[in-house]
Amino acid sequence: MSCTFGLMRSPITCRPWDIRERAVTAIMVMNRQQLPTMTPFGPPPCMSWEKIFCDFTPSIGPPCSWRPICPYRNDCLPTDGGPRMDKKISKSLGNVIDPVDLVEKYGVDQTRFFLMADVGFGNDGDYSDRNMVLRVNSNLANELGNLCQRTLSMVFKNCNKAVPEIVGEFTDEDKAVLAAARGLREQAAPHIAKQAIHRYVQVMIDMISETNKYIDEQAPWSLRKTDPARADTVLYVILEVLRHVAILYQPVIPTSANMILDQLTVPADERTFAHLTDEYQVKPGTPIAKPQGIFPRLELPEEVVA
């Protein structure tokens, strides 16, 4: 069973700016030492990055410069597992949840991703364990995580444990995917200017979806048997797409995005938005380590399944 919130899809309501800011502030306190130095697009005309990202910001400086702005208490989210009530969520009814519990149950980046991807900033929305699990498993585990794992595994196994050293001439399909990746920052920037964080995230989700179609159509596992040079080129294209996506995902899922960049062997000082150019593309011949899974699939709590 679950409690939800939102005027648009559910009769149970609360203010999302309370939900999101308080929850992410709690997550921020737990994760503040792990966040990367970033160079963002810059603040939109009417709001700072501190406000845009739910009262925490990637300041230009060391990780410790990330700071919570509004230290709310941690007991302000609706609970899953209690009886569903067609009422506003309130602490007096006892249908609240500590956002730190969400972090402990699902993980920091997974919770951050759901809060930023599933509900538009300043709008109402629904929360349930089921929604959390479905969103994270679909967009992170199945799409992004699976693409990273199978691409890097093929590179590690078939390319002498290194980024393909010889990259062939790009086909029209290759050029289209690379052009889309190179245009991600320009495409995403207007959404941040409008405080539409969920649409910023959707840009990356769509890019990964298109790249999964690309790898399925190109089938480098089959090309390995008939045209190894072409297989290497396809894998290289996907590595470069992942570099762009991971850099842009850092404000949303910083730990996971940096794990991807680590596996791509992107230097730690080449991970800001300013490095989203061909000058800093994945270096052919660079050794890689055996890839590790980044997004484990989530399971619904027993009380929700029941």
Side-chain angles (χ1 to χ4, degrees):
M1 292 183 290
S2 66
C3 283
T4 59
F5 59 88
L7 289 171
M8 299 300 293
R9 291 173 286 177
S10 167
I12 298 176
T13 63
C14 68
R15 296 182 303 171
W17 43 92
D18 287 346
I19 294 294
R20 291 161 57 82
E21 290 179 7
R22 297 178 186 184
V24 179
T25 295
I27 297 164
M28 180 60 221
V29 170
M30 297 182 65
N31 202 36
R32 61 187 300 176
Q33 296 302 322
Q34 302 179 37
L35 302 180
T37 299
M38 289 293 295
T39 303
F41 300 114
C46 58
M47 185 170 288
S48 67
W49 272 78
E50 285 89 341
K51 194 66 176 175
I52 286 262
F53 282 113
C54 302
D55 285 344
F56 64 87
T57 178
S59 303
I60 307 303
C64 61
S65 66
W66 292 62
R67 60 194 185 281
I69 305 300
C70 298
Y72 291 104
R73 293 181 59 183
N74 294 332
D75 52 354
C76 44
L77 284 179
T79 184
D80 258 28
R84 180 164 180 161
M85 297 169 289
D86 292 339
K87 302 177 182 179
K88 288 184 178 181
I89 290 170
S90 71
K91 292 170 66 176
S92 62
L93 293 174
N95 58 348
V96 294
I97 187 172
D98 187 333
V100 175
D101 290 342
L102 292 181
V103 171
E104 292 175 349
K105 187 186 299 183
Y106 299 118
V108 174
D109 278 5
Q110 288 80 354
T111 303
R112 291 167 61 108
F113 180 81
F114 177 84
L115 292 173
M116 294 192 193
D118 212 61
V119 182
F121 185 79
N123 294 328
D124 299 309
D126 295 341
Y127 172 79
S128 72
D129 277 325
R130 189 177 302 277
N131 288 349
M132 169 78 82
V133 169
L134 291 177
R135 166 69 83 167
V136 170
N137 282 349
S138 175
N139 295 145
L140 295 185
N142 294 349
E143 296 174 1
L144 177 57
N146 187 49
L147 180 64
C148 289
Q149 185 68 20
R150 59 178 174 166
T151 301
L152 287 164
S153 294
M154 282 187 283
V155 170
F156 185 81
K157 180 180 179 180
N158 299 299
C159 303
N160 297 318
K161 302 180 182 180
V163 176
E165 189 166 3
I166 299 176
V167 180
E169 184 176 352
F170 293 137
T171 65
D172 290 343
E173 292 80 5
D174 301 339
K175 293 175 182 178
V177 172
L178 287 171
R182 291 162 180 161
L184 285 177
R185 180 183 180 182
E186 183 177 354
Q187 184 181 354
H191 299 313
I192 289 299
K194 296 176 182 178
Q195 306 166 31
I197 305 172
H198 63 298
R199 293 184 178 176
Y200 174 92
V201 175
Q202 191 62 45
V203 169
M204 267 63 75
I205 292 174
D206 291 344
M207 183 72 250
I208 292 301
S209 178
E210 289 301 312
T211 309
N212 273 307
K213 292 178 184 178
Y214 168 82
I215 192 174
D216 288 340
E217 291 170 356
Q218 299 300 318
W221 46 88
S222 297
L223 288 170
R224 179 61 51 191
K225 303 173 184 177
T226 60
D227 190 349
R230 174 63 188 155
D232 287 353
T233 301
V234 170
L235 292 173
Y236 182 85
V237 168
I238 299 170
L239 294 178
E240 183 61 8
V241 170
L242 289 173
R243 182 181 75 90
H244 281 261
V245 170
I247 287 176
L248 287 165
Y249 252 144
Q250 286 179 100
V252 181
I253 47 172
T255 300
S256 302
N258 277 275
M259 288 175 65
I260 295 172
L261 293 169
D262 288 342
Q263 296 195 39
L264 294 173
T265 68
V266 175
D269 60 352
E270 294 182 7
R271 300 183 180 185
T272 70
F273 292 0
H275 296 101
L276 293 171
T277 65
D278 289 348
E279 180 183 355
Y280 299 99
Q281 61 189 356
V282 178
K283 304 297 189 297
T286 304
I288 68 169
K290 184 176 181 179
Q292 303 294 323
I294 297 173
F295 301 106
R297 287 183 58 80
L298 301 181
E299 300 295 334
L300 284 172
E302 292 183 3
E303 64 271 17
V304 177
V305 175

